[in-house]
Amino acid sequence: MSVHILNEEPVHVIPGSGLVLRARIEQGPLEEVSVVTWEREPETGIAPTSVTLATCPGESLECAGTTPNVRANVGQQETSLQIDGYSGADGGVYAVTVTDHTGATTTAHCIVREYEAVHHVSVSINVSHSSLVCGEAWGTEPHFSWLHERAAIATAVGKVSKDGTTLLVTMTPICGHFTCMVSNKLGYSSATYTAAPCEAEGGGTTAAVVCLALLLLFGGLLAFLLWRRHRHNNRGGSLHEPLEDSI
């Protein structure tokens, strides 16, 4: 007879939610399950003390949990344990032990830990490799993503590594704000590396266009003033001509 816990370990549980562990029991045709016991002990410590969580004795295999929030059951070649309202104190090494009708036992173990939020995100630069590295303290299942000037990383800016922790910067020179965002099921945190300000694209062209517009405006105004002066002079000459003819 053998028993195997089906959950991938370590199992991470969000505080307040439920923990469910499942195990498969493999037995021969002449073997019978007599007792199934679920236990827990601390993950670390010199002499960890084991605590019994649930026991399923006898042929009926009716399970009894040691606390109201603990339930266990045994089905066809399978057993499960459920803990409602998981807290940090429920973490540790869980063990399921199956005893057959001869008294022989077999045990499987699984590590259960609390699901941690993201903490202490930081960004450092590796100048020699033109890359930025994002770090995070101890969050569970962290997911990394990068922004440049609050926009997703474009190919002209750089390339993000497969695990998301490193940004290889290809733009020259390196400029602007690079933000690393780290998230998981409990939220996110971020950190920003600030390089020299980027020059605005097309800044020289814009200045040239403004100067040209001002020159055209000034030239048009000057042409208008000259035209107006010339017209005034012509009107003055026409007024003096009849007077000269009468004399």
Side-chain angles (χ1 to χ4, degrees):
M1 183 177 295
S2 64
V3 61
H4 174 71
I5 294 180
L6 303 178
N7 305 70
E8 287 188 25
E9 63 173 329
V11 178
H12 290 95
V13 187
I14 297 175
S17 64
L19 164 66
V20 178
L21 297 178
R22 292 183 173 88
R24 182 170 182 80
I25 302 171
E26 297 181 358
Q27 60 191 87
L30 300 179
E31 294 176 319
E32 297 179 3
V33 176
S34 176
V35 179
V36 174
T37 305
W38 286 92
E39 299 173 298
R40 181 189 66 234
E41 64 181 32
E43 187 175 352
T44 59
I46 299 175
T49 302
S50 180
V51 176
T52 300
L53 300 173
T55 303
C56 305
E59 294 180 356
S60 63
L61 300 181
E62 294 181 357
C63 304
T66 55
T67 58
N69 67 324
V70 176
R71 289 176 289 171
N73 64 69
V74 175
Q76 186 66 28
Q77 296 184 322
E78 188 172 296
T79 177
S80 65
L81 174 74
Q82 180 173 337
I83 297 179
D84 299 324
Y86 180 92
S87 67
D90 295 317
V93 179
Y94 282 68
V96 56
T97 301
V98 179
T99 305
D100 68 9
H101 65 287
T102 67
T105 62
T106 180
T107 303
H109 297 86
C110 180
I111 296 175
V112 177
R113 296 170 180 164
E114 180 180 340
Y115 195 102
E116 295 278 356
V118 172
H119 293 278
H120 306 303
V121 177
S122 62
V123 176
S124 59
I125 184 170
N126 187 330
V127 179
S128 61
H129 292 81
S130 298
S131 61
L132 296 172
V133 180
C134 186
E136 187 273 337
W138 61 80
T140 306
E141 298 176 339
H143 173 74
F144 296 82
S145 60
W146 290 86
L147 301 174
H148 179 248
E149 302 295 5
R150 299 184 180 181
I153 298 298
T155 54
V157 175
K159 181 180 179 181
V160 180
S161 63
K162 188 175 182 180
D163 63 1
T165 60
T166 303
L167 171 62
L168 179 62
V169 183
T170 55
M171 67 183 301
T172 54
I174 297 177
C175 65
H177 300 83
F178 296 86
T179 300
C180 173
M181 296 186 63
V182 186
S183 60
N184 64 10
K185 294 178 182 179
L186 294 180
Y188 72 93
S189 184
S190 64
T192 299
Y193 173 80
T194 303
C198 294
E199 294 183 2
E201 294 184 5
T205 304
T206 302
V209 170
V210 172
C211 291
L212 179 61
L214 291 174
L215 288 173
L216 290 174
L217 180 62
F218 179 75
L221 180 60
L222 182 60
F224 174 75
L225 292 175
L226 291 174
W227 172 79
R228 191 172 179 187
R229 181 178 179 185
H230 177 72
R231 183 183 178 190
H232 178 74
N233 290 340
N234 288 342
R235 289 184 62 189
S238 62
L239 290 174
H240 287 290
E241 287 177 358
L243 181 59
E244 292 174 356
D245 291 343
S246 61
I247 295 175

